[in-house]
Amino acid sequence: MPSEVRWLTAQEERVWRGWLTLNARLSATLHRELHDDAGLSMPDFEVLVHLTDSPAGRLRVSDLSRLLQWERSRVSHHVTRMESRRLVQRVECAEDGRGAFVVITPEGRAASEQAAPGHVYTVRRLVFDALSPEEIEALAAIIDKLLAQVDNQPDPLPTH
Amino acid sequence: MPSEVRWLTAQEERVWRGWLTLNARLSATLHRELHDDAGLSMPDFEVLVHLTDSPAGRLRVSDLSRLLQWERSRVSHHVTRMESRRLVQRVECAEDGRGAFVVITPEGRAASEQAAPGHVYTVRRLVFDALSPEEIEALAAIIDKLLAQVDNQPDPLPTH
């Protein structure tokens, strides 16, 4: 860090605060809807989405960790809690020693299918319906740039 | 919800996933830095920022709840934990019956001042340094539109 701090300008401060407020509002709304519709939390739903996107509905903890951008210990703990609710199951993989798979259960698929329409409806209503095609284009470009910038940093996830 | 779900287009899906990933990456990085620099979590820091922004460094739980977009019970629990670490203090306000103030302590101010330079440096480096002035302008407009859209919805915060 340089000795001289370049504090944020008034506009940058407003953008950053707005970003944080927007995220807090969006996640509160999405969390509440998932809970009411299917008894899921937002983290539950994110795990289920990645599993339903995977062939055979299964992923290793290490892959889930990368896709979710969570530390492995958080993934493990969360999977344990979801397992006790029968949404996922851990299946050992004897042949390769690279650790267990997390597999979505029929109950997990049912919960995800129950949650998805309302979730998508809300994302569309709160985000995409408010923006013009040009703004969606601009937002896509900005997000790509910021993801590249963040990916350019040392990996924040511990490897163990 | 309409009976016909308008699923997200490929581009919208990409923007939404990118948004979620970006937020997960940014908060993991910012959280880790705050913790290393000043022993604070991101929620701790957000509480302290709102208190330092307030006259006399104090706010009611209801005002913190609105500013942070957290439910009141979450604010209360979090303030209790921060109180046990001497970062804030609850001060009863006898005269008006509208509940206690949360007041930042000298230790809370010191932690916030210790965390701020590194935090701002990282926000600048990961977000604003990656964007042109035109992109910051576009992002500001998009965030304002989305905040207006979200604020246009029924309040997700319980009033009790």
Side-chain angles (χ1 to χ4, degrees):
Chain A
M1 193 195 329
S3 55
E4 183 88 12
V5 182
R6 287 182 300 138
W7 297 101
L8 301 184
T9 66
Q11 189 198 31
E12 288 167 345
E13 177 84 23
R14 198 169 64 84
V15 169
W16 180 241
R17 291 280 180 104
W19 174 281
L20 293 177
T21 302
L22 181 59
N23 274 301
R25 290 296 303 261
L26 283 175
S27 41
T29 303
L30 292 170
H31 200 103
R32 199 183 61 246
E33 289 200 341
L34 287 172
H35 186 266
D36 292 351
D37 285 357
L40 297 175
S41 69
M42 185 83 184
D44 292 339
F45 186 66
E46 287 181 63
V47 168
L48 295 176
V49 164
H50 287 297
L51 290 174
T52 55
D53 279 356
S54 304
R58 61 180 211 171
L59 285 168
R60 290 178 202 276
V61 169
S62 51
D63 294 323
L64 267 175
S65 169
R66 185 179 41 76
L67 289 165
L68 293 162
Q69 296 289 320
W70 298 355
E71 292 182 13
R72 284 189 63 146
S73 59
R74 182 179 169 199
V75 177
S76 276
H77 288 135
H78 200 82
V79 161
T80 301
R81 286 198 297 274
M82 290 178 74
E83 214 176 0
S84 73
R85 291 153 60 211
R86 299 178 190 285
L87 297 167
V88 300
Q89 212 182 347
R90 268 194 182 82
V91 177
E92 289 301 328
C93 181
E95 71 257 35
D96 69 359
R98 292 201 291 135
F101 279 104
V102 181
V103 187
I104 192 167
T105 62
E107 290 90 334
R109 262 188 215 280
S112 155
E113 282 163 16
Q114 204 170 344
H119 185 75
V120 165
Y121 175 69
T122 301
V123 170
R124 175 170 286 297
R125 182 168 49 89
L126 294 186
V127 179
F128 296 107
D129 284 356
L131 302 177
S132 68
E134 293 73 25
E135 285 169 328
I136 295 175
E137 200 72 58
L139 183 59
I142 287 168
I143 287 174
D144 284 346
K145 268 197 158 177
L146 294 180
L147 280 172
Q149 180 87 342
V150 171
D151 283 337
N152 220 2
Q153 308 300 315
D155 195 340
L157 297 174
T159 51
H160 51 85
Chain B
M1 197 193 328
S3 55
E4 183 86 17
V5 180
R6 287 182 299 138
W7 297 101
L8 300 185
T9 65
Q11 188 199 31
E12 288 167 344
E13 178 84 23
R14 200 169 62 83
V15 169
W16 180 240
R17 291 277 180 107
W19 175 280
L20 293 178
T21 301
L22 180 59
N23 274 300
R25 290 296 303 262
L26 284 176
S27 43
T29 303
L30 292 170
H31 200 102
R32 199 184 61 249
E33 290 200 341
L34 287 173
H35 186 267
D36 292 351
D37 287 355
L40 298 175
S41 69
M42 184 81 183
D44 292 338
F45 186 66
E46 287 181 63
V47 168
L48 294 178
V49 164
H50 287 297
L51 290 175
T52 55
D53 279 356
S54 303
R58 61 183 213 170
L59 285 168
R60 289 175 202 277
V61 168
S62 52
D63 293 323
L64 269 174
S65 168
R66 185 180 39 78
L67 289 165
L68 293 161
Q69 295 290 322
W70 298 356
E71 291 183 12
R72 282 189 64 143
S73 59
R74 182 178 170 202
V75 176
S76 276
H77 288 134
H78 200 82
V79 162
T80 301
R81 287 199 296 275
M82 291 179 72
E83 213 176 358
S84 73
R85 292 154 59 213
R86 299 179 191 283
L87 297 167
V88 299
Q89 214 183 344
R90 268 195 182 83
V91 176
E92 290 301 329
C93 181
E95 71 259 34
D96 70 357
R98 291 201 290 137
F101 280 104
V102 181
V103 186
I104 192 167
T105 62
E107 291 90 335
R109 263 189 214 279
S112 155
E113 281 164 14
Q114 205 171 343
H119 185 75
V120 165
Y121 175 70
T122 301
V123 170
R124 173 169 289 296
R125 182 169 49 92
L126 294 185
V127 180
F128 296 108
D129 284 355
L131 302 177
S132 68
E134 293 71 26
E135 285 168 328
I136 295 176
E137 198 73 57
L139 183 58
I142 288 168
I143 287 174
D144 283 347
K145 265 196 161 177
L146 295 180
L147 280 172
Q149 183 87 341
V150 171
D151 283 337
N152 219 2
Q153 309 299 315
D155 194 342
L157 298 173
T159 51
H160 52 83

